[in-house]
Structures are given as C-alpha cells and as structure tokens.
Amino acid sequence: MADYRTIKAQKLTDVIYAIAKAGGSADREAELVSTNLVEANLKGHDSHGVGMIPRYAEAVSEGGLAVNQHVKIVMDTGPLLTLDGLTGYGQVMGHEAMELGAERAKRNGVCVVGLSNSHHIGRIGHWAEQCIEHGLVSIHFVNVISRPIVAPWGGSDARHGTNPFCVGIPRKGKEPIVLDFATSKIAQGKTRVAHNKGVELEPGTIIDNEGRPTTNPRYTVIAPHGAILPFGEHKGSGLALVCEILGGALSGGEVVKGPADGKRRVLNGMLSIIIDPNKLGTGENLAREVESFVAWHTGSPPAPGVDKVKIAGEPERETKTKRLAEGIPVDPNTWQEILDAGKRFGLDQAAIEQIVS
C-alpha cells in the first residue's frame, strides 16, 4: 500500500492518548478513548478507529463534545437503568454504562440500560465484548444524531444514521459470537476511508445528491451530499427504523427530526438488554446448545473461493492477530487529519512524529 504508514498498535495508541490529553482529557479518559479507537483498527474497522479523532477534536472545539464527563444515573431500579451521557466521550459513557448494567444483570438476572445523549460510542461490538467478559449475553440498538447519511428503503435522500445493531454471546472456553453491523450497506466511516484512499465504492451502495446511483464516496463526505442505501432493502431499513426508535427514544434521548445543523458532534443513544444466562436458569443449556449449533454451522462445506465458514466476530479476531504482528495501516490523508487534530490542541507535528518514530 503505497504511501501508507504502518504503525504499531501501542505507538498509535500513544498518539491518540497524547491528542486526547492535549484536548483536556484526564488520564483515564484519554486511555479509554485511545485504546477503544485503536482496538477498532486492530479489529479491521478503520471506520471506527483513529480516523475519528479529527472529528472529535472539532467537536471539542465547538463545544459539542464535553471532556471529563461521567454517566449520570437518571433512574435505577436494578433491572432498569436510565443514563444520560452528558455529551461526554462515548468511549467513557459506553464503558461506564456497561459496567453499571453488567453489575445489575448479575444481581437481578437482567438489566435494560437506556443510554442517551452520549457522544460517539464507536464500534458497538466493543460494548458486547465488555458484557461477554462478565459472562453475559447482550443485545444493543443504537441511533445516531448527526448529519443524516442513510436513505430509507424506497427514498432518495438521507433521513437517518447508520443505526447499528449488535448481539454478544459468550462461549465457555471458546471465542465468543459478536454480531455487530450498521443497518446501512456499509458504515459511514468506511465511505470516509474510501474517500481518503481515493477508491470507488461498490455499485448499489450509495446515491448522489439527486438520488441517482453512484460509486463516488465524495457524496457521503463533501457537499452536496447523497446517501448510503440500507442493507437488505426493506429488511435493513425496517431494522434501522427500530434502532432509531429504541436506541433514540426508548433510551430517553432524541431521534433524528430533520436535516443537519452543521455541528461536528455525533451523538448516540443506545438501548442495551443485558442477560445473565445463569440467573435465567439456562446457562448450561446455552453453553451446550451453542457448541452444537456452531459445529453444525461451521461444518458446512466452504463455497468456491471461501477458506472456511466462520462465526460472527471471527474475521475481526483474525485481523487483530495480523495487525498486532504487522502494525496498523494508516492512509496519508487520515494521518494528515490526525496531525491536524493534534495541532488544533497545540500538539505540533514534530511531537506526534516523535511518538511514532
């Protein structure tokens, strides 16, 4: 990959940590932000990785992202928990929300967590993995308050966000199942990555500002904007609708009501259902039946050109192993944006280059 920088994960983490610190974050916040973003890159989701820090820096400067906040408990009955993210870093809000929810799920068997008004919470699989570490199953519905970027099925302009859906299922002594996807054909950040790389998108992925099919990612990055199409036609669009209402409204937050206001902030709402299988009385049954079905699922003879049938979460783990060994590729445009983000907070290029040298 010509002109790409390949940076070891720890050094890239140190860069993002330094930028967050320069932006006013305390040590713990800078740690959560930097490790979360680099983890997304390690898992192959560059759309949710270090390329987000320039957007965060703009939001901090505008006042749409508040540093050093913690989730505010609005309502807590034990099995039901409503939280306000206070427009703080989503990496902090998501972490704190899942720790609170996991503790209550282990005590009560289940916890439904409504998190509203959080700044960008990043890769949703990260929060499912946090629940998995506690031995818990989790289901997540997420909405996005920002510039609408996805067209509804049958529509010709953008009306909502990429509205992710995620499920995490632990496996005893085995790698977990982590299903995590945007309800759009691709994540918005992936169009930004394509634009920065100067590559076209697959046909049937986006439409231009007049609702016509196009493969040029600039229509999702530079005005006049087009829209990403939903995955699975009416099915993905229907799931996006549900994520908007459950993640945005039932969580205690807002839904998208109109066009962008020009602000650089990205607010998320997330409704999470966290379940303790042991408290449900089905823990042993789940463990046994999961292995039976995974064996049946992955035992399908691979199609031509496919090495093996995988489970959700497996490709990300394979990418992480590779990138931990070889480093994380960063395209030149994204690297320049990262340098500019540091500069915005008074961290000059020489200081950042020194970290990765």
Side-chain angles (χ1 to χ4, degrees):
M1 291 180 284
D3 299 325
Y4 273 65
R5 300 185 69 126
T6 301
I7 304 172
K8 286 292 187 179
Q10 186 56 58
K11 290 193 172 185
L12 196 53
T13 304
D14 292 343
V15 167
I16 304 305
Y17 179 91
I19 293 173
K21 281 283 290 178
S25 291
D27 290 350
R28 177 59 172 158
E29 180 164 278
E31 179 190 357
L32 287 171
V33 171
S34 57
T35 54
N36 177 285
L37 293 181
V38 172
E39 180 69 12
N41 286 105
L42 285 171
K43 293 280 176 70
H45 293 284
D46 296 331
S47 55
H48 291 68
V50 297
M52 288 302 303
I53 200 68
R55 182 75 178 265
Y56 294 174
E58 291 174 343
V60 169
S61 298
E62 285 185 356
L65 167 52
V67 300
N68 299 321
Q69 298 296 312
H70 298 280
V71 289
K72 176 185 176 183
I73 296 177
V74 178
M75 192 274 292
D76 181 7
T77 70
L80 299 167
L81 183 62
T82 308
L83 305 170
D84 188 334
L86 303 174
T87 72
Y89 268 109
Q91 287 75 14
V92 175
M93 301 306 139
H95 177 80
E96 293 182 352
M98 292 303 98
E99 284 302 295
L100 289 169
E103 189 277 328
R104 284 152 182 76
K106 286 188 282 189
R107 186 187 343 138
N108 300 296
V110 66
C111 186
V112 179
V113 183
L115 172 64
S116 66
N117 202 33
S118 170
H119 200 264
H120 186 244
I121 54 178
R123 185 179 70 92
I124 310 305
H126 193 90
W127 312 123
E129 289 161 358
Q130 187 176 337
C131 293
I132 285 166
E133 289 174 4
H134 289 283
L136 304 172
V137 171
S138 63
I139 307 164
H140 309 264
F141 303 87
V142 182
N143 87 319
V144 186
I145 302 291
S146 184
R147 174 173 61 84
I149 189 64
V150 182
W153 175 243
S156 60
D157 68 352
R159 294 280 159 158
H160 55 78
T162 53
N163 293 14
F165 173 75
C166 179
V167 178
I169 304 172
R171 295 169 65 203
K172 192 172 182 179
K174 303 279 185 69
E175 295 287 7
I177 296 167
V178 182
L179 177 69
D180 175 21
F181 57 79
T183 50
S184 52
K185 280 208 169 180
I186 58 173
Q188 180 179 357
K190 284 184 167 60
T191 68
R192 171 180 48 80
V193 171
H195 178 70
N196 284 350
K197 288 180 178 178
V199 299
E200 298 284 292
L201 297 170
E202 289 290 325
T205 302
I206 63 171
I207 52 177
D208 67 15
N209 59 303
E210 295 184 357
R212 300 171 303 192
T214 182
T215 58
N216 189 342
R218 55 113 23 237
Y219 286 103
T220 64
V221 181
I222 302 170
H225 295 110
I228 308 172
L229 296 172
F231 90 91
E233 302 176 339
H234 62 285
K235 296 178 183 180
S237 191
L239 185 54
L241 177 71
V242 167
C243 286
E244 185 71 38
I245 295 167
L246 298 184
L250 189 57
S251 72
E254 298 181 3
V255 297
V256 176
K257 300 183 181 75
D261 58 11
K263 295 180 181 177
R264 298 299 288 167
R265 67 182 186 181
V266 183
L267 297 180
N268 286 134
M270 179 167 69
L271 184 78
S272 301
I273 304 166
I274 307 173
I275 303 164
D276 185 339
N278 293 322
K279 287 280 190 177
L280 190 62
T282 62
E284 290 184 9
N285 186 73
L286 174 69
R288 182 178 62 252
E289 294 298 312
V290 163
E291 295 317 311
S292 294
F293 187 72
V294 166
W296 172 249
H297 171 87
T298 57
S300 178
V306 175
D307 57 345
K308 64 174 181 175
V309 175
K310 301 177 183 181
I311 61 169
E314 192 171 353
E316 286 84 354
R317 290 188 287 269
E318 291 174 350
T319 300
K320 181 175 180 177
T321 298
K322 186 173 188 290
R323 288 188 168 185
L324 277 174
E326 299 175 2
I328 296 168
V330 182
D331 70 82
N333 287 334
T334 298
W335 182 246
Q336 185 58 52
E337 289 174 354
I338 291 170
L339 293 175
D340 292 343
K343 191 174 181 181
R344 181 183 288 273
F345 291 150
L347 197 64
D348 63 25
Q349 180 172 342
I352 294 177
E353 294 288 359
Q354 179 66 31
I355 294 171
V356 298
S357 63

